[in-house]
Amino acid sequence: ACQQHPLRCHPLNDFLNKDKILSFTHIAKCGGVSWFQEIRKLIRRGDRFFPRVSAGEEYSLSYQNELVRNETSGEEEAEAPPFYKLVSLRDPRQHLYSQFRHCAYSAWGKDMARIFPRGGDSLQDFELWLDSFWDFTSNTAITQKDSIEYHCYNPSNMQTRALTTYKKAPAFSWNSPYPAEPDYEVALQLYWEFDWVGIVEFFHESKCLLYYRILLSNEN
């Protein structure tokens, strides 16, 4: 793995460099806010960390890269300085149910998605919500023009769409053009270009790996 994908194995020994830019692709409901808190405590320099806001912006990888380049390129520079690419991913089933619960029961979700399956039986509501995005008869994703607009997360291939779409906010938009099934090979290629990948289900292990690669000692 290290020979094929050296980005995942090399030491991040200039991670703490004050001139190094860190770009975290925040995919909704993939632990982004928790990682922002951890990384900001580590680097203590908000001006070199993207996205800038404390809760993070849920931008697609393409949009985020362009944002970093635009904000860090000087007028006399041909291109932006190099930056580390970070992301956190999640088990698809856990990710799916987390989106549903946030839309259905959180204060934010109730405000955003006022028309939403909330009949009282959470399993039935969950299945009804899924039926709005996936045709189980043909086993294909339902396109936006045929789906119900709940004004909340679009769960169809969200993590893959976040890596492949050129749209700003993949959590709420469909990959263009239809159908809403991104190119897996493209997503996999972009996935291996990240310098570090955290996994929600292995949060502490991911944190240990990050610290290890930064080469921090216990004293630090």
Side-chain angles (χ1 to χ4, degrees):
C2 291
Q3 292 179 345
Q4 294 179 345
H5 308 287
L7 281 177
R8 294 297 169 77
C9 298
H10 69 71
L12 302 177
N13 44 3
D14 59 343
F15 193 90
L16 304 181
N17 188 315
K18 64 179 181 179
D19 296 323
K20 193 68 177 185
I21 296 168
L22 309 178
S23 176
F24 187 100
T25 299
H26 183 191
I27 303 175
K29 308 309 295 176
C30 283
V33 174
S34 296
W35 281 117
F36 294 154
Q37 295 172 350
E38 293 294 335
I39 295 174
R40 281 203 169 94
K41 287 189 296 185
L42 190 64
I43 61 174
R44 299 180 181 179
R45 63 177 199 282
D47 62 320
R48 311 302 288 178
F49 182 77
F50 291 85
R52 294 281 177 77
V53 296
S54 59
E57 294 288 352
E58 295 162 355
Y59 296 146
S60 68
L61 173 62
S62 175
Y63 185 89
Q64 173 99 344
N65 288 345
E66 191 65 26
L67 179 69
V68 174
R69 293 188 185 98
N70 291 340
E71 292 200 23
T72 58
S73 295
E75 294 181 358
E76 298 180 356
E77 294 181 14
E79 59 183 23
F83 54 90
Y84 280 132
K85 295 179 183 179
L86 319 172
V87 71
S88 178
L89 302 177
R90 191 170 190 174
D91 175 89
R93 290 185 176 89
Q94 298 295 332
H95 188 220
L96 194 67
Y97 194 55
S98 178
Q99 293 172 62
F100 167 75
R101 289 183 58 83
H102 200 63
C103 292
Y105 306 125
S106 72
W108 174 87
K110 290 179 180 179
D111 182 62
M112 288 289 294
R114 301 191 178 185
I115 300 176
F116 197 85
R118 299 187 183 95
D121 186 309
S122 60
L123 181 58
Q124 291 181 358
D125 291 343
F126 180 56
E127 291 178 349
L128 181 61
W129 179 67
L130 288 181
D131 287 343
S132 303
F133 299 96
W134 191 261
D135 186 340
F136 287 91
T137 302
S138 61
N139 202 35
T140 57
I142 297 175
T143 60
Q144 184 184 31
K145 61 185 178 181
D146 297 323
S147 68
I148 299 174
E149 178 55 72
Y150 286 126
H151 298 284
C152 203
Y153 297 132
N154 178 338
S156 181
N157 298 302
M158 185 197 290
Q159 295 181 75
T160 309
R161 284 189 293 112
L163 300 186
T164 58
T165 184
Y166 289 94
K167 292 193 175 186
K168 177 179 179 179
F172 303 97
S173 62
W174 291 79
N175 198 22
S176 180
Y178 302 121
E181 296 189 31
D183 189 320
Y184 172 76
E185 294 300 327
V186 172
L188 189 61
Q189 177 182 352
L190 293 170
Y191 165 80
W192 284 115
E193 292 179 2
F194 281 99
D195 296 278
W196 174 85
V197 176
I199 303 296
V200 173
E201 289 73 23
F202 296 96
F203 185 88
H204 296 292
E205 292 85 347
S206 299
K207 183 178 177 180
C208 287
L209 178 60
L210 177 62
Y211 273 61
Y212 172 77
R213 292 184 59 199
I214 294 172
L215 302 181
L216 285 177
S217 67
N218 292 332
E219 290 76 19
N220 291 330

mmCIF file with all atom_site columns, all heavy atoms in Angstrom, residues 57-75:
data_model
loop_
_atom_site.group_PDB
_atom_site.id
_atom_site.type_symbol
_atom_site.label_atom_id
_atom_site.label_alt_id
_atom_site.label_comp_id
_atom_site.label_asym_id
_atom_site.label_entity_id
_atom_site.label_seq_id
_atom_site.pdbx_PDB_ins_code
_atom_site.Cartn_x
_atom_site.Cartn_y
_atom_site.Cartn_z
_atom_site.occupancy
_atom_site.B_iso_or_equiv
_atom_site.pdbx_formal_charge
_atom_site.auth_seq_id
_atom_site.auth_comp_id
_atom_site.auth_asym_id
_atom_site.auth_atom_id
_atom_site.pdbx_PDB_model_num
ATOM 1   N N   . GLU A 1 57 ? -17.676 24.374 6.461  1.00 0.00 ? 57 GLU A N   1
ATOM 2   C CA  . GLU A 1 57 ? -18.614 24.425 5.348  1.00 0.00 ? 57 GLU A CA  1
ATOM 3   C C   . GLU A 1 57 ? -18.555 23.089 4.625  1.00 0.00 ? 57 GLU A C   1
ATOM 4   O O   . GLU A 1 57 ? -17.487 22.533 4.435  1.00 0.00 ? 57 GLU A O   1
ATOM 5   C CB  . GLU A 1 57 ? -18.253 25.568 4.390  1.00 0.00 ? 57 GLU A CB  1
ATOM 6   C CG  . GLU A 1 57 ? -18.404 26.955 4.976  1.00 0.00 ? 57 GLU A CG  1
ATOM 7   C CD  . GLU A 1 57 ? -19.856 27.364 5.146  1.00 0.00 ? 57 GLU A CD  1
ATOM 8   O OE1 . GLU A 1 57 ? -20.733 26.631 4.663  1.00 0.00 ? 57 GLU A OE1 1
ATOM 9   O OE2 . GLU A 1 57 ? -20.103 28.416 5.775  1.00 0.00 ? 57 GLU A OE2 1
ATOM 10  N N   . GLU A 1 58 ? -19.704 22.607 4.208  1.00 0.00 ? 58 GLU A N   1
ATOM 11  C CA  . GLU A 1 58 ? -19.781 21.294 3.568  1.00 0.00 ? 58 GLU A CA  1
ATOM 12  C C   . GLU A 1 58 ? -19.633 21.450 2.055  1.00 0.00 ? 58 GLU A C   1
ATOM 13  O O   . GLU A 1 58 ? -20.583 21.321 1.297  1.00 0.00 ? 58 GLU A O   1
ATOM 14  C CB  . GLU A 1 58 ? -21.109 20.623 3.950  1.00 0.00 ? 58 GLU A CB  1
ATOM 15  C CG  . GLU A 1 58 ? -21.185 20.334 5.442  1.00 0.00 ? 58 GLU A CG  1
ATOM 16  C CD  . GLU A 1 58 ? -22.598 20.091 5.946  1.00 0.00 ? 58 GLU A CD  1
ATOM 17  O OE1 . GLU A 1 58 ? -23.552 20.245 5.145  1.00 0.00 ? 58 GLU A OE1 1
ATOM 18  O OE2 . GLU A 1 58 ? -22.753 19.761 7.127  1.00 0.00 ? 58 GLU A OE2 1
ATOM 19  N N   . TYR A 1 59 ? -18.402 21.736 1.647  1.00 0.00 ? 59 TYR A N   1
ATOM 20  C CA  . TYR A 1 59 ? -18.107 21.935 0.240  1.00 0.00 ? 59 TYR A CA  1
ATOM 21  C C   . TYR A 1 59 ? -17.658 20.628 -0.405 1.00 0.00 ? 59 TYR A C   1
ATOM 22  O O   . TYR A 1 59 ? -17.110 19.746 0.254  1.00 0.00 ? 59 TYR A O   1
ATOM 23  C CB  . TYR A 1 59 ? -16.973 22.955 0.071  1.00 0.00 ? 59 TYR A CB  1
ATOM 24  C CG  . TYR A 1 59 ? -17.296 24.352 0.544  1.00 0.00 ? 59 TYR A CG  1
ATOM 25  C CD1 . TYR A 1 59 ? -16.309 25.151 1.113  1.00 0.00 ? 59 TYR A CD1 1
ATOM 26  C CD2 . TYR A 1 59 ? -18.576 24.884 0.402  1.00 0.00 ? 59 TYR A CD2 1
ATOM 27  C CE1 . TYR A 1 59 ? -16.589 26.444 1.536  1.00 0.00 ? 59 TYR A CE1 1
ATOM 28  C CE2 . TYR A 1 59 ? -18.867 26.168 0.829  1.00 0.00 ? 59 TYR A CE2 1
ATOM 29  C CZ  . TYR A 1 59 ? -17.863 26.948 1.402  1.00 0.00 ? 59 TYR A CZ  1
ATOM 30  O OH  . TYR A 1 59 ? -18.134 28.214 1.827  1.00 0.00 ? 59 TYR A OH  1
ATOM 31  N N   . SER A 1 60 ? -17.841 20.546 -1.716 1.00 0.00 ? 60 SER A N   1
ATOM 32  C CA  . SER A 1 60 ? -17.300 19.412 -2.457 1.00 0.00 ? 60 SER A CA  1
ATOM 33  C C   . SER A 1 60 ? -15.782 19.563 -2.549 1.00 0.00 ? 60 SER A C   1
ATOM 34  O O   . SER A 1 60 ? -15.225 20.651 -2.355 1.00 0.00 ? 60 SER A O   1
ATOM 35  C CB  . SER A 1 60 ? -17.901 19.360 -3.867 1.00 0.00 ? 60 SER A CB  1
ATOM 36  O OG  . SER A 1 60 ? -17.449 20.470 -4.640 1.00 0.00 ? 60 SER A OG  1
ATOM 37  N N   . LEU A 1 61 ? -15.109 18.466 -2.841 1.00 0.00 ? 61 LEU A N   1
ATOM 38  C CA  . LEU A 1 61 ? -13.655 18.484 -2.961 1.00 0.00 ? 61 LEU A CA  1
ATOM 39  C C   . LEU A 1 61 ? -13.211 19.470 -4.030 1.00 0.00 ? 61 LEU A C   1
ATOM 40  O O   . LEU A 1 61 ? -12.273 20.256 -3.819 1.00 0.00 ? 61 LEU A O   1
ATOM 41  C CB  . LEU A 1 61 ? -13.143 17.080 -3.292 1.00 0.00 ? 61 LEU A CB  1
ATOM 42  C CG  . LEU A 1 61 ? -11.656 16.955 -3.627 1.00 0.00 ? 61 LEU A CG  1
ATOM 43  C CD1 . LEU A 1 61 ? -10.796 17.375 -2.437 1.00 0.00 ? 61 LEU A CD1 1
ATOM 44  C CD2 . LEU A 1 61 ? -11.329 15.531 -4.058 1.00 0.00 ? 61 LEU A CD2 1
ATOM 45  N N   . SER A 1 62 ? -13.861 19.461 -5.175 1.00 0.00 ? 62 SER A N   1
ATOM 46  C CA  . SER A 1 62 ? -13.480 20.342 -6.271 1.00 0.00 ? 62 SER A CA  1
ATOM 47  C C   . SER A 1 62 ? -13.654 21.806 -5.891 1.00 0.00 ? 62 SER A C   1
ATOM 48  O O   . SER A 1 62 ? -12.759 22.631 -6.127 1.00 0.00 ? 62 SER A O   1
ATOM 49  C CB  . SER A 1 62 ? -14.329 20.023 -7.515 1.00 0.00 ? 62 SER A CB  1
ATOM 50  O OG  . SER A 1 62 ? -14.064 20.932 -8.556 1.00 0.00 ? 62 SER A OG  1
ATOM 51  N N   . TYR A 1 63 ? -14.789 22.129 -5.279 1.00 0.00 ? 63 TYR A N   1
ATOM 52  C CA  . TYR A 1 63 ? -15.043 23.512 -4.884 1.00 0.00 ? 63 TYR A CA  1
ATOM 53  C C   . TYR A 1 63 ? -14.065 23.956 -3.806 1.00 0.00 ? 63 TYR A C   1
ATOM 54  O O   . TYR A 1 63 ? -13.561 25.075 -3.828 1.00 0.00 ? 63 TYR A O   1
ATOM 55  C CB  . TYR A 1 63 ? -16.485 23.663 -4.393 1.00 0.00 ? 63 TYR A CB  1
ATOM 56  C CG  . TYR A 1 63 ? -16.872 25.091 -4.085 1.00 0.00 ? 63 TYR A CG  1
ATOM 57  C CD1 . TYR A 1 63 ? -17.412 25.905 -5.074 1.00 0.00 ? 63 TYR A CD1 1
ATOM 58  C CD2 . TYR A 1 63 ? -16.688 25.628 -2.809 1.00 0.00 ? 63 TYR A CD2 1
ATOM 59  C CE1 . TYR A 1 63 ? -17.765 27.217 -4.806 1.00 0.00 ? 63 TYR A CE1 1
ATOM 60  C CE2 . TYR A 1 63 ? -17.030 26.934 -2.534 1.00 0.00 ? 63 TYR A CE2 1
ATOM 61  C CZ  . TYR A 1 63 ? -17.571 27.727 -3.527 1.00 0.00 ? 63 TYR A CZ  1
ATOM 62  O OH  . TYR A 1 63 ? -17.908 29.032 -3.259 1.00 0.00 ? 63 TYR A OH  1
ATOM 63  N N   . GLN A 1 64 ? -13.798 23.074 -2.865 1.00 0.00 ? 64 GLN A N   1
ATOM 64  C CA  . GLN A 1 64 ? -12.866 23.396 -1.782 1.00 0.00 ? 64 GLN A CA  1
ATOM 65  C C   . GLN A 1 64 ? -11.461 23.654 -2.325 1.00 0.00 ? 64 GLN A C   1
ATOM 66  O O   . GLN A 1 64 ? -10.788 24.613 -1.920 1.00 0.00 ? 64 GLN A O   1
ATOM 67  C CB  . GLN A 1 64 ? -12.831 22.254 -0.774 1.00 0.00 ? 64 GLN A CB  1
ATOM 68  C CG  . GLN A 1 64 ? -11.775 22.388 0.296  1.00 0.00 ? 64 GLN A CG  1
ATOM 69  C CD  . GLN A 1 64 ? -12.339 22.917 1.597  1.00 0.00 ? 64 GLN A CD  1
ATOM 70  O OE1 . GLN A 1 64 ? -13.432 23.458 1.645  1.00 0.00 ? 64 GLN A OE1 1
ATOM 71  N NE2 . GLN A 1 64 ? -11.604 22.752 2.655  1.00 0.00 ? 64 GLN A NE2 1
ATOM 72  N N   . ASN A 1 65 ? -10.998 22.820 -3.245 1.00 0.00 ? 65 ASN A N   1
ATOM 73  C CA  . ASN A 1 65 ? -9.671  23.016 -3.826 1.00 0.00 ? 65 ASN A CA  1
ATOM 74  C C   . ASN A 1 65 ? -9.571  24.364 -4.530 1.00 0.00 ? 65 ASN A C   1
ATOM 75  O O   . ASN A 1 65 ? -8.565  25.073 -4.416 1.00 0.00 ? 65 ASN A O   1
ATOM 76  C CB  . ASN A 1 65 ? -9.358  21.892 -4.815 1.00 0.00 ? 65 ASN A CB  1
ATOM 77  C CG  . ASN A 1 65 ? -9.095  20.573 -4.130 1.00 0.00 ? 65 ASN A CG  1
ATOM 78  O OD1 . ASN A 1 65 ? -8.878  20.518 -2.920 1.00 0.00 ? 65 ASN A OD1 1
ATOM 79  N ND2 . ASN A 1 65 ? -9.121  19.490 -4.889 1.00 0.00 ? 65 ASN A ND2 1
ATOM 80  N N   . GLU A 1 66 ? -10.614 24.704 -5.264 1.00 0.00 ? 66 GLU A N   1
ATOM 81  C CA  . GLU A 1 66 ? -10.622 25.983 -5.975 1.00 0.00 ? 66 GLU A CA  1
ATOM 82  C C   . GLU A 1 66 ? -10.644 27.151 -4.996 1.00 0.00 ? 66 GLU A C   1
ATOM 83  O O   . GLU A 1 66 ? -9.971  28.167 -5.205 1.00 0.00 ? 66 GLU A O   1
ATOM 84  C CB  . GLU A 1 66 ? -11.842 26.047 -6.902 1.00 0.00 ? 66 GLU A CB  1
ATOM 85  C CG  . GLU A 1 66 ? -11.833 27.203 -7.882 1.00 0.00 ? 66 GLU A CG  1
ATOM 86  C CD  . GLU A 1 66 ? -10.696 27.107 -8.888 1.00 0.00 ? 66 GLU A CD  1
ATOM 87  O OE1 . GLU A 1 66 ? -10.236 25.990 -9.169 1.00 0.00 ? 66 GLU A OE1 1
ATOM 88  O OE2 . GLU A 1 66 ? -10.265 28.172 -9.381 1.00 0.00 ? 66 GLU A OE2 1
ATOM 89  N N   . LEU A 1 67 ? -11.393 27.000 -3.920 1.00 0.00 ? 67 LEU A N   1
ATOM 90  C CA  . LEU A 1 67 ? -11.461 28.038 -2.895 1.00 0.00 ? 67 LEU A CA  1
ATOM 91  C C   . LEU A 1 67 ? -10.081 28.278 -2.272 1.00 0.00 ? 67 LEU A C   1
ATOM 92  O O   . LEU A 1 67 ? -9.660  29.426 -2.096 1.00 0.00 ? 67 LEU A O   1
ATOM 93  C CB  . LEU A 1 67 ? -12.463 27.638 -1.814 1.00 0.00 ? 67 LEU A CB  1
ATOM 94  C CG  . LEU A 1 67 ? -12.651 28.607 -0.647 1.00 0.00 ? 67 LEU A CG  1
ATOM 95  C CD1 . LEU A 1 67 ? -13.336 29.877 -1.130 1.00 0.00 ? 67 LEU A CD1 1
ATOM 96  C CD2 . LEU A 1 67 ? -13.480 27.956 0.456  1.00 0.00 ? 67 LEU A CD2 1
ATOM 97  N N   . VAL A 1 68 ? -9.391  27.192 -1.941 1.00 0.00 ? 68 VAL A N   1
ATOM 98  C CA  . VAL A 1 68 ? -8.058  27.315 -1.347 1.00 0.00 ? 68 VAL A CA  1
ATOM 99  C C   . VAL A 1 68 ? -7.102  27.998 -2.313 1.00 0.00 ? 68 VAL A C   1
ATOM 100 O O   . VAL A 1 68 ? -6.329  28.891 -1.932 1.00 0.00 ? 68 VAL A O   1
ATOM 101 C CB  . VAL A 1 68 ? -7.517  25.933 -0.934 1.00 0.00 ? 68 VAL A CB  1
ATOM 102 C CG1 . VAL A 1 68 ? -6.079  26.037 -0.460 1.00 0.00 ? 68 VAL A CG1 1
ATOM 103 C CG2 . VAL A 1 68 ? -8.385  25.324 0.158  1.00 0.00 ? 68 VAL A CG2 1
ATOM 104 N N   . ARG A 1 69 ? -7.138  27.588 -3.564 1.00 0.00 ? 69 ARG A N   1
ATOM 105 C CA  . ARG A 1 69 ? -6.245  28.195 -4.552 1.00 0.00 ? 69 ARG A CA  1
ATOM 106 C C   . ARG A 1 69 ? -6.516  29.689 -4.700 1.00 0.00 ? 69 ARG A C   1
ATOM 107 O O   . ARG A 1 69 ? -5.582  30.506 -4.768 1.00 0.00 ? 69 ARG A O   1
ATOM 108 C CB  . ARG A 1 69 ? -6.409  27.494 -5.900 1.00 0.00 ? 69 ARG A CB  1
ATOM 109 C CG  . ARG A 1 69 ? -5.926  26.052 -5.915 1.00 0.00 ? 69 ARG A CG  1
ATOM 110 C CD  . ARG A 1 69 ? -5.923  25.484 -7.314 1.00 0.00 ? 69 ARG A CD  1
ATOM 111 N NE  . ARG A 1 69 ? -5.582  24.070 -7.311 1.00 0.00 ? 69 ARG A NE  1
ATOM 112 C CZ  . ARG A 1 69 ? -6.469  23.093 -7.357 1.00 0.00 ? 69 ARG A CZ  1
ATOM 113 N NH1 . ARG A 1 69 ? -7.771  23.378 -7.411 1.00 0.00 ? 69 ARG A NH1 1
ATOM 114 N NH2 . ARG A 1 69 ? -6.093  21.831 -7.346 1.00 0.00 ? 69 ARG A NH2 1
ATOM 115 N N   . ASN A 1 70 ? -7.791  30.051 -4.764 1.00 0.00 ? 70 ASN A N   1
ATOM 116 C CA  . ASN A 1 70 ? -8.142  31.457 -4.955 1.00 0.00 ? 70 ASN A CA  1
ATOM 117 C C   . ASN A 1 70 ? -7.745  32.320 -3.759 1.00 0.00 ? 70 ASN A C   1
ATOM 118 O O   . ASN A 1 70 ? -7.336  33.474 -3.917 1.00 0.00 ? 70 ASN A O   1
ATOM 119 C CB  . ASN A 1 70 ? -9.645  31.595 -5.207 1.00 0.00 ? 70 ASN A CB  1
ATOM 120 C CG  . ASN A 1 70 ? -10.061 31.037 -6.550 1.00 0.00 ? 70 ASN A CG  1
ATOM 121 O OD1 . ASN A 1 70 ? -9.240  30.882 -7.462 1.00 0.00 ? 70 ASN A OD1 1
ATOM 122 N ND2 . ASN A 1 70 ? -11.339 30.716 -6.696 1.00 0.00 ? 70 ASN A ND2 1
ATOM 123 N N   . GLU A 1 71 ? -7.860  31.785 -2.559 1.00 0.00 ? 71 GLU A N   1
ATOM 124 C CA  . GLU A 1 71 ? -7.607  32.576 -1.364 1.00 0.00 ? 71 GLU A CA  1
ATOM 125 C C   . GLU A 1 71 ? -6.148  32.594 -0.947 1.00 0.00 ? 71 GLU A C   1
ATOM 126 O O   . GLU A 1 71 ? -5.734  33.416 -0.134 1.00 0.00 ? 71 GLU A O   1
ATOM 127 C CB  . GLU A 1 71 ? -8.460  32.067 -0.197 1.00 0.00 ? 71 GLU A CB  1
ATOM 128 C CG  . GLU A 1 71 ? -9.949  32.310 -0.383 1.00 0.00 ? 71 GLU A CG  1
ATOM 129 C CD  . GLU A 1 71 ? -10.706 32.246 0.934  1.00 0.00 ? 71 GLU A CD  1
ATOM 130 O OE1 . GLU A 1 71 ? -10.090 32.450 1.998  1.00 0.00 ? 71 GLU A OE1 1
ATOM 131 O OE2 . GLU A 1 71 ? -11.920 31.996 0.891  1.00 0.00 ? 71 GLU A OE2 1
ATOM 132 N N   . THR A 1 72 ? -5.345  31.692 -1.491 1.00 0.00 ? 72 THR A N   1
ATOM 133 C CA  . THR A 1 72 ? -3.953  31.616 -1.062 1.00 0.00 ? 72 THR A CA  1
ATOM 134 C C   . THR A 1 72 ? -2.965  31.999 -2.160 1.00 0.00 ? 72 THR A C   1
ATOM 135 O O   . THR A 1 72 ? -1.787  32.184 -1.875 1.00 0.00 ? 72 THR A O   1
ATOM 136 C CB  . THR A 1 72 ? -3.598  30.195 -0.575 1.00 0.00 ? 72 THR A CB  1
ATOM 137 O OG1 . THR A 1 72 ? -3.844  29.254 -1.631 1.00 0.00 ? 72 THR A OG1 1
ATOM 138 C CG2 . THR A 1 72 ? -4.433  29.816 0.631  1.00 0.00 ? 72 THR A CG2 1
ATOM 139 N N   . SER A 1 73 ? -3.423  32.147 -3.370 1.00 0.00 ? 73 SER A N   1
ATOM 140 C CA  . SER A 1 73 ? -2.520  32.516 -4.460 1.00 0.00 ? 73 SER A CA  1
ATOM 141 C C   . SER A 1 73 ? -2.287  34.017 -4.442 1.00 0.00 ? 73 SER A C   1
ATOM 142 O O   . SER A 1 73 ? -3.234  34.805 -4.477 1.00 0.00 ? 73 SER A O   1
ATOM 143 C CB  . SER A 1 73 ? -3.113  32.112 -5.812 1.00 0.00 ? 73 SER A CB  1
ATOM 144 O OG  . SER A 1 73 ? -3.217  30.715 -5.902 1.00 0.00 ? 73 SER A OG  1
ATOM 145 N N   . GLY A 1 74 ? -1.025  34.427 -4.376 1.00 0.00 ? 74 GLY A N   1
ATOM 146 C CA  . GLY A 1 74 ? -0.699  35.838 -4.478 1.00 0.00 ? 74 GLY A CA  1
ATOM 147 C C   . GLY A 1 74 ? -0.812  36.304 -5.913 1.00 0.00 ? 74 GLY A C   1
ATOM 148 O O   . GLY A 1 74 ? -0.845  35.506 -6.860 1.00 0.00 ? 74 GLY A O   1
ATOM 149 N N   . GLU A 1 75 ? -0.859  37.609 -6.107 1.00 0.00 ? 75 GLU A N   1
ATOM 150 C CA  . GLU A 1 75 ? -1.018  38.156 -7.450 1.00 0.00 ? 75 GLU A CA  1
ATOM 151 C C   . GLU A 1 75 ? 0.141   37.771 -8.359 1.00 0.00 ? 75 GLU A C   1
ATOM 152 O O   . GLU A 1 75 ? -0.012  37.642 -9.564 1.00 0.00 ? 75 GLU A O   1
ATOM 153 C CB  . GLU A 1 75 ? -1.137  39.672 -7.374 1.00 0.00 ? 75 GLU A CB  1
ATOM 154 C CG  . GLU A 1 75 ? -2.408  40.143 -6.663 1.00 0.00 ? 75 GLU A CG  1
ATOM 155 C CD  . GLU A 1 75 ? -2.502  41.647 -6.639 1.00 0.00 ? 75 GLU A CD  1
ATOM 156 O OE1 . GLU A 1 75 ? -1.563  42.299 -7.142 1.00 0.00 ? 75 GLU A OE1 1
ATOM 157 O OE2 . GLU A 1 75 ? -3.501  42.165 -6.121 1.00 0.00 ? 75 GLU A OE2 1
#
